[in-house]
């Protein structure tokens, strides 16, 4: 039930953003937590602070024309939603996926505001992307697409204005093509305009690993509060992209065993020895750009590949959904709880449906929401911006230490806020409230702008 003061705000969001279900879902989830805030601090309901947070500062939609390898003209749609700049320049990734619509980017941008606030770093929230499908495209096609995309986007960016990075479908290769085009257009080596860059051209150590590593630190800290640890735990990690791979790596470093991972075609169970063979998975995903089915075929005996199945049916202690939004529903959550899951950490953005989140919270499962648990990626982007601004390059150890400190800080802030607002152990409420208060305070200080 929504607080009665928040009901008309949500009704307005629905009316003014028709058909954007994912955006509605993301807003609803935050508003559900804000009832506790305005009950304690009614002033947060004044000055239309909540309404303002729900309205992007700027939304850019543009045509992206490019020529494929057969010489045919292709047209895609590009987006950049500059959602909130109260805390710093807009910051957030770019997603290339055929399902991307304006509502997708708005949900991601909205989440990003609170996530970025939670990191404690000076970054606002934004997100971008395109309905371009990189699957099956040659390197030349990807480059031409990235160049065309950046040709329009460049006029809206800048190290003090808006700083994109990667997301689904956009990794270091695509960031490189976009940075190259930006550099050519502006005739400036403005390193701080994009993050997720390669190490020798302005990138930061640990940025590649950061989202996965950070999510595992978060889960580990939740477990430690209950005097448990990752040691000996069986873990499911959905996905097989950047977040999943480095989640698997850190789980293993901390003594856990990842026994399954997946992609949109199916999942693989590898419950022998150390679990998923990380080196083989990296080779197939990062070098060959192959599929989980290729991993299963190469790994051979001892693995089971289940085409089209749901990874959440595999019994395990911990689940880390690290693929995409709404990939884990209420039924999946009930199956996980029945099989004895003790902790869930969202590596992806909004991977659990609201129904699933409710099931976990009601069952007393430790639940780390994406805006807190996966904030390590964007936090390390902010560290990359710091290094760019000071023309410095930090060691792996120093950077990872900063990441660990930031993740522990996020965890503790969420836990404290949950307690203060009457819902101890509820990290969803803690994350939403802590993120909201930081942004709302800054917005109030900056006046009606
Ligand atoms: N796309 C990532 C996220 O969802 C990282 C964004 C960034 O580094 O700017 O947080």
């Amino acid at each position: 039930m929504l607080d009665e003061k928040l009901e008309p705000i949500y009704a307005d969001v629905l009316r003014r953003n028709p058909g954007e279900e994912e955006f509605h879902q993301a807003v609803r989830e935050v508003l559900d937590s804000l009832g506790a805030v305005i009950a304690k601090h009614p002033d947060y309901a004044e000055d239309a602070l909540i309404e303002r947070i729900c309205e992007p500062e700027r939304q850019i939609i543009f045509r992206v024309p490019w020529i494929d390898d057969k010489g045919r003209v292709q047209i895609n749609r590009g987006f950049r939603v500059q959602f909130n700049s109260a805390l710093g320049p807009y910051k957030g990734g770019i997603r290339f996926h055929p399902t991307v619509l304006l509502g997708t980017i708005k949900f991601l941008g909205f989440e990003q505001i609170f996530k970025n606030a939670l990191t404690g770093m000076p970054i606002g929230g934004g997100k971008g992307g395109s309905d371009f499908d990189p699957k099956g495209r040659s390197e030349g096609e990807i480059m031409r697409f990235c160049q065309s995309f950046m040709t329009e986007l460049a006029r809206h960016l800048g190290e003090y204005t808006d700083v994109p990075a990667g997301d689904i479908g956009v990794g270091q290769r695509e960031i490189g093509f976009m940075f190259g085009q930006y550099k050519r257009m502006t005739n400036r080596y403005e390193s701080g305009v994009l993050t997720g860059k390669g190490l020798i051209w302005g990138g930061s150590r640990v940025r590649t690993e950061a989202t996965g590593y950070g999510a595992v630190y978060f889960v580990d800290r939740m477990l430690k509060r209950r005097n448990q640890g990752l040691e000996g735990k069986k873990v499911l990690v959905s996905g097989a992209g950047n977040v999943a791979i480095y989640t698997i790596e850190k789980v293993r470093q901390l003594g856990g065993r990842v026994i399954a991972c997946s992609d949109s075609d199916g999942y693989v169970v590898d419950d022998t020895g150390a679990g998923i063979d990380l080196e083989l998975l990296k080779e197939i995903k990062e070098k060959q750009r192959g599929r989980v089915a290729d991993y299963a075929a190469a790994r051979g005996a001892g693995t089971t590949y289940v085409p089209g199945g749901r990874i959440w049916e595999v019994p395990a202690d911990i689940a880390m959904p690290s693929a995409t939004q709404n990939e884990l529903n209420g039924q999946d959550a009930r199956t996980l709880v029945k099989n004895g899951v003790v902790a869930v950490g969202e590596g992806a953005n909004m991977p659990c449906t609201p129904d699933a989140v409710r099931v976990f919270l009601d069952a007393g499962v430790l639940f780390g929401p994406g805006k807190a648990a996966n904030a390590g990626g964007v936090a390390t982007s902010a560290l990359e911006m710091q290094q760019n601004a000071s023309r410095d390059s930090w060691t792996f150890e120093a950077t990872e230490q900063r990441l660990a400190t930031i993740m522990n800080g996020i965890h503790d802030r969420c836990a404290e806020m949950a307690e203060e607002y009457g819902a101890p152990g509820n990290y969803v409420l803690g994350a939403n409230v802590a993120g909201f208060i930081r942004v709302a305070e800054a917005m109030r200080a900056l006046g009606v702008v």
Side-chain angles (χ1 to χ4, degrees):
M1 273 292 283
L2 257 187
D3 184 281
E4 61 175 30
K5 284 208 186 88
L6 298 171
E7 252 170 37
I9 299 178
Y10 186 58
D12 245 21
V13 168
L14 296 182
R15 183 181 61 77
R16 299 175 72 229
N17 303 277
E20 298 178 349
E21 286 93 8
E22 291 163 333
F23 178 53
H24 302 162
Q25 185 184 330
V27 171
R28 175 69 200 230
E29 199 217 79
V30 170
L31 293 188
D32 276 338
S33 300
L34 294 188
V37 178
I38 55 172
K40 204 162 168 167
H41 298 286
D43 49 311
Y44 282 125
E46 289 158 16
D47 300 339
L49 272 171
I50 300 172
E51 290 90 326
R52 272 197 277 163
I53 279 191
C54 294
E55 183 69 16
E57 289 177 17
R58 191 173 297 105
Q59 307 182 55
I60 302 146
I61 307 179
F62 51 99
R63 181 170 70 195
V64 188
W66 56 286
I67 296 178
D68 69 18
D69 285 347
K70 296 200 174 88
R72 284 185 307 230
V73 176
Q74 299 278 349
I75 299 297
N76 285 102
R77 187 173 290 171
F79 305 95
R80 186 74 183 165
V81 174
Q82 300 180 328
F83 225 120
N84 194 297
S85 61
L87 296 177
Y90 309 107
K91 182 82 198 85
I94 289 174
R95 176 175 293 191
F96 291 165
H97 195 273
T99 59
V100 163
L101 295 167
L102 177 62
T104 320
I105 302 300
K106 277 165 74 174
F107 117 64
L108 289 162
F110 186 75
E111 291 270 303
Q112 201 83 46
I113 303 171
F114 303 93
K115 181 195 311 195
N116 294 6
L118 275 174
T119 67
M121 311 293 285
I123 42 179
K127 202 87 185 191
S130 173
D131 58 0
F132 171 69
D133 186 0
K135 230 189 238 170
R137 289 294 176 192
S138 70
E139 181 132 326
E141 290 178 318
I142 303 258
M143 181 175 75
R144 290 194 295 281
F145 177 80
C146 288
Q147 289 174 338
S148 181
F149 183 81
M150 182 51 88
T151 300
E152 170 61 32
L153 190 63
R155 66 182 96 228
H156 309 289
L157 305 184
E159 67 173 307
Y160 296 105
T161 307
D162 185 354
V163 183
D167 196 82
I168 292 172
V170 178
Q172 204 177 97
R173 174 178 65 172
E174 291 73 20
I175 293 293
F177 294 148
M178 287 191 259
F179 182 61
Q181 181 74 352
Y182 184 86
K183 183 174 81 63
R184 186 179 189 190
M185 290 173 70
T186 58
N187 195 28
R188 282 157 59 88
Y189 205 107
E190 190 187 333
S191 301
V193 75
L194 284 169
T195 61
K197 300 182 294 297
L199 204 51
I200 56 170
W201 41 279
S204 170
R205 291 187 178 81
V206 195
R207 178 63 191 85
T208 305
E209 296 84 356
T211 312
Y213 277 22
V216 179
Y217 285 134
F218 194 92
V219 167
D220 190 47
R221 193 137 174 121
M222 290 199 298
L223 288 167
K224 289 220 170 87
R225 271 187 102 221
R226 283 197 185 166
N227 298 316
Q228 298 182 39
L230 275 161
E231 195 70 38
K233 295 278 193 310
K234 282 192 182 190
V235 185
L236 306 176
V237 178
S238 64
N242 167 269
V243 179
I245 286 174
Y246 293 96
T247 295
I248 297 172
E249 186 162 289
K250 187 50 80 181
V251 166
R252 193 198 278 183
Q253 287 173 11
L254 297 185
R257 226 155 56 84
V258 177
I259 56 165
C261 67
S262 66
D263 61 22
S264 51
D265 297 331
Y267 71 83
V268 63
V269 183
D270 200 335
D271 199 358
T272 52
I276 295 288
D277 180 338
L278 189 61
E279 278 56 54
L280 180 63
L281 185 67
K282 277 188 187 172
E283 168 68 29
I284 283 168
K285 292 300 300 181
E286 292 180 339
K287 297 218 175 80
Q288 300 172 17
R289 296 181 189 271
R291 309 287 298 165
V292 163
D294 303 323
Y295 166 88
R299 182 98 157 112
T303 61
T304 318
Y305 179 66
V306 184
R310 295 191 78 70
I311 188 172
W312 313 119
E313 62 204 21
V314 180
D317 306 305
I318 294 170
M320 302 203 52
S322 309
T324 194
Q325 65 268 23
N326 293 328
E327 55 162 312
L328 194 166
N329 62 32
Q331 189 49 47
D332 299 322
R334 279 183 279 275
T335 306
L336 284 162
V337 168
K338 178 168 68 65
N339 288 336
V341 78
V342 293
V344 177
E346 291 190 318
N349 290 311
M350 210 168 75
C352 297
T353 64
D355 196 18
V357 177
R358 222 167 296 123
V359 170
F360 291 135
L361 293 179
D362 288 349
V365 170
L366 292 168
F367 180 77
K371 4 179 134 61
N374 75 35
V378 75
T380 309
S381 278
L383 300 180
E384 182 171 335
M385 292 163 74
Q386 270 187 33
Q387 291 169 80
N388 293 149
S390 57
R391 301 184 186 279
D392 199 357
S393 175
W394 307 342
T395 63
F396 195 94
E397 293 68 32
T399 318
E400 194 184 4
Q401 189 48 55
R402 289 283 304 266
L403 169 63
T405 307
I406 291 169
M407 292 313 298
N408 290 342
I410 295 173
H411 170 280
D412 295 356
R413 218 166 300 133
C414 293
E416 280 157 26
M417 280 295 178
E419 199 125 334
E420 191 178 327
Y421 285 86
N426 184 338
Y427 292 89
V428 176
L429 186 118
N432 288 333
V433 172
F436 170 78
I437 290 179
R438 202 169 137 86
V439 179
E441 288 288 348
M443 287 175 71
R444 187 148 51 190
L446 300 185
V448 180
V449 291

